[in-house]
Amino acid sequence: MSRVCKMSKNVREVFRLDELKDDIRRNMVALLGNDPRSKRKFSYYNALAYSVRERLVDLWMRTQSDYYDSMAKRVYYLSMEFLPGRFLMNYLTNMGIVDECREIVAELGFSLEELEEEEWDAGLGNGGLGRLASCYLDSMVSQNIPGYGYGILYDYGIFYQSIVNGNQEERCDNWRRHGCPWEITRLDTLYEVKFYGRSETYYDSDGNVRFRWVDTENVMAMPCDILIPGYGCSHVSNMRLWTAQSSREFNLSDFNRGDYIGAMHGKVMSENITKVLYPNDQFLQGMELRLKQQYFLVSATFQDILRRYLKQHTSLAALPEAVAVQLNDTHPAIAIPELMRLLMDVYGMGWDVAWDICTRTFAYTNHTVLPEALETWPVDLLGRLLPRHMQIIYEINRRFLEGVAATFPGDTERLSRMSVIQEEGGQRVRMANLAIVGSHTVNGVAALHSNILQTGLFRDFHEYYPRKIRNVTNGVTPRRWLMQCNPALSRLITQSIGPEWCCNLEKLRELVPLAEDSAFRDAWARAKLENKRLLSRYVLRKVQMGINPNTLFDMQFKRMHEYKRQLLNVMHVISLFNRIKDNPSADITPRTVLFGGKAAPGYYQAKLIIRLINEVARVVNADADVAGRLRVAFLPNYCISQAEKVVPAADLSEQISTAGMEASGTGNMKFALNGALTIGTLDGANVEIMEEVGAENIFIFGLKAHEVAEKRRSGYNPREFYENDAELRRVMDMIGSGFFSPDERGLFSPVYDSLMHHGDYYMLMADYRPYMEAQAAVDALYLDQDQWVRKSILNAANMGKFSSDRSVMEYARGIWHVEPLGK
Ligand code: T68
């Protein structure tokens, strides 16, 4: 912290702010070829971005030589997804120059906010898993842990969602169409990545059998770095994202044969590898291109890691002392056989030495227990694309099962459950099993989730490796998710308890006594209202709908998925609508219910729920009896920059997944940190949020994870709830009969049927009444603004645990065995 304060004192000097305005003008001309007298916001945004970035390059090089000189152990965070969102404000925030920059930009005739809006989000991820990776990069570099993100620079990130006649439509997200000032492309660094071909046996000079991978088709990987400034900028790190380039010699042979178009076709095909992010979260599509993407990331990354390592070491034997690799879910788990291949086939090691190095290098984070999300690859696909890896996987499995059989003699059922190869329904490679076997540590992302891994999904493994499976509860970076996105509240907090909270979130606890101070409560409420006003303006711009900032802002923003139960929220909205219609003069708490989230393009039921939300909104918002008391809107294209507007304005955060299904959730943390009260089930990190904020400051309802499991076992009958609850029955009948789709009566039958006829897998019917009761408690409390604001303060004040700084330190000390540099 002392460094941060020192930096902010002489920030003008360190970042040469006196020269910033001239630099912006210079970059307008020299880099962008624009007339500085033009008033194009986009040009000025770019000129500002380049001028900010160039101020970090020096610090970044200094950081890298610090790491090099101290021979620090490095952490590599391998992830198919990162969701950094926009960079400009994050750079300025972490550099501590937001206010200074605002002044300079004003002198040029702009507001900082309008230039900020010119930036497209880097949407290189689907949701929580990708955003977590970005929060962890921020926390690693802010705490001087030598960490790097490795990922893919997709040309097209997560699709752009628009809503047309109530339906989701996907448009391609060509986010770098007008360039991206943050990337530093390394045109001179290229690695070759191999595919297909075959594994060949030969004898080395000592007469040992060896393998080599031959007759491959090769693609080149080119890195592109994006700087990641730590808070206070004592260190600057980077994420290195790979793009695919066609290999030159591959094409040359075709060109020489005179087949120009054929050669160009090969070039285009190979460059397709990094074209597009797969838009499915929690669902495995199993396409060959996706496996290619995974191996492309892994192969390029390991060439880069080993090149860096070998600059300072002569032998690979000490790799685990110098390198820790965290696998963000199983998506990069092909890294395990890849490192084995490199150590054995390229560096000549024997199996046992190589395996020991491997298992001391890798750790794996699991993010889901949903069976449809667990990755398995057909053996014939994997064997064709990566023949040598398939051989290695078989050998890993053979040796592993030998060990299991020795520990549990005669337990063949267990062997088939634990095998890396699934036999039933055609042979497939189970990537989770491979990742567990090849890692020293496996972690879940919240206490409940890790417990479910130990006792449910990975129970056999937990019995075999009793210390391997652990918990690291997720966290979010307080820099982006409070300081940057919520200036009004941040200012108030800093005025009250000083600035240290943003690097030591536990400090927020000093707000607890202030919850009893009515002047502080008023100031807190004013900050919330200011944010609600800002959001109202945004909503008006985006969906041409006026919303009233004095109503309760009830928010559910996350990917659309049945297990997240946006439908349960809709059922509550319909119930409120009915109550108002039945009794138009009833005294009810006015609410604005807002939704946002993308559905995977092939996920029919999730898309239908988006449509239902929009049709319910149409009916509710048009009804004169309801006016002023209930409004509903779906905000299109939920993304990081939208979250930064939504989160600070929420009164109520909906975290209502079926217990046992949401691994952690991180939106829940962001909302509570910004003073929203949570209505939620005892699922994922909600459990720990309740422990921290106190049961009296959160609205918990519904079945618990073990009750869901028991109900599934003993037979669950959703109809029972329908028959015994008139209000529920009415809601279901309205959905099923076409009340919200008068021109297409059967439109929502699949929604009705999933609950009434197909078993209601996510148990909405069972949780409906408890949810309604919890919502009634919300309404009652909101009428007592003093109490509400008190609880809002207590929520934020007790969120210290959920800083990603804490999560990253747990990984650092418990899993990576690294310490912050300079300590
Ligand atoms: C999320 N998972 C969890 N997956 O659902 C959430 N999946 O509970 C948790 O808080 C978060 O991870 C961080 O730990 C995802 O976001 C994906 O996005 C995904 C992407 C591709 C394939 C499968």
Side-chain angles (χ1 to χ4, degrees), residues 93 581 692:
T93 302
K581 292 302 287 179
E692 294 298 304

Side-chain angles (χ1 to χ4, degrees), residues 476-585:
V476 301
T477 170
R479 272 77 65 185
R480 185 178 289 258
W481 295 113
L482 182 52
M483 196 181 209
Q484 181 187 327
C485 73
N486 196 343
L489 200 63
S490 298
R491 224 174 292 125
L492 175 63
I493 294 173
T494 300
Q495 277 163 13
S496 314
I497 63 169
E500 284 83 9
W501 58 269
C502 71
C503 290
N504 177 5
L505 203 61
E506 295 283 355
K507 283 250 173 197
L508 288 183
R509 226 166 245 130
E510 291 172 18
L511 295 171
V512 169
L514 293 173
E516 310 309 323
D517 172 341
S518 70
F520 184 77
R521 281 201 303 271
D522 287 348
W524 189 272
R526 275 198 301 278
K528 180 62 79 182
L529 187 62
E530 185 181 329
N531 294 329
K532 290 170 75 174
R533 287 208 176 102
L534 286 173
L535 183 73
S536 305
R537 261 180 252 152
Y538 172 82
V539 171
L540 188 61
R541 262 200 326 273
K542 283 286 153 186
V543 294
Q544 290 74 49
M545 189 172 123
I547 58 173
N548 179 356
N550 295 309
T551 59
L552 187 163
F553 278 15
D554 171 351
M555 314 255 202
Q556 191 170 19
F557 285 75
K558 48 184 80 240
R559 286 298 289 248
M560 298 299 301
H561 207 297
E562 288 163 282
Y563 85 82
K564 295 178 188 277
R565 301 200 294 190
Q566 283 92 352
L567 179 57
L568 185 58
N569 190 342
V570 177
M571 288 160 69
H572 170 246
V573 170
I574 299 172
S575 310
L576 287 184
F577 172 77
N578 289 338
R579 285 182 189 180
I580 297 171
K581 292 302 287 179
D582 289 352
N583 188 357
S585 60

Side-chain angles (χ1 to χ4, degrees), residues 81 125-130 132 278 280-284 290 329 331 365-368 373 445 474 563-564 661-666:
E81 306 190 5
N126 275 287
L129 170 149
L132 188 78
Y278 276 88
N280 308 305
D281 73 322
Q282 318 271 357
F283 185 77
L284 172 76
R290 167 79 175 178
D329 216 295
H331 316 152
T365 305
N366 172 283
H367 295 268
T368 185
V445 289
N474 282 169
Y563 85 82
K564 295 178 188 277
M661 306 200 81
E662 186 71 271
S664 162
T666 44

Side-chain angles (χ1 to χ4, degrees), residues 73-77 319-320 322-326 361 815-816 818:
K73 180 169 182 178
R74 298 177 201 239
V75 177
Y76 297 112
Y77 200 85
L319 189 74
V323 166
V325 176
Q326 191 68 35
T361 300
I815 297 177
W816 304 330
V818 298

Side-chain angles (χ1 to χ4, degrees), residues 37 42 60 72 274 479 499 515-516 710 726 730 739 755 781:
R37 285 168 303 185
F42 186 67
W60 174 64
T274 53
R479 272 77 65 185
E516 310 309 323
E710 273 156 31
R730 184 163 163 204
F739 183 87
L755 270 48
L781 185 72

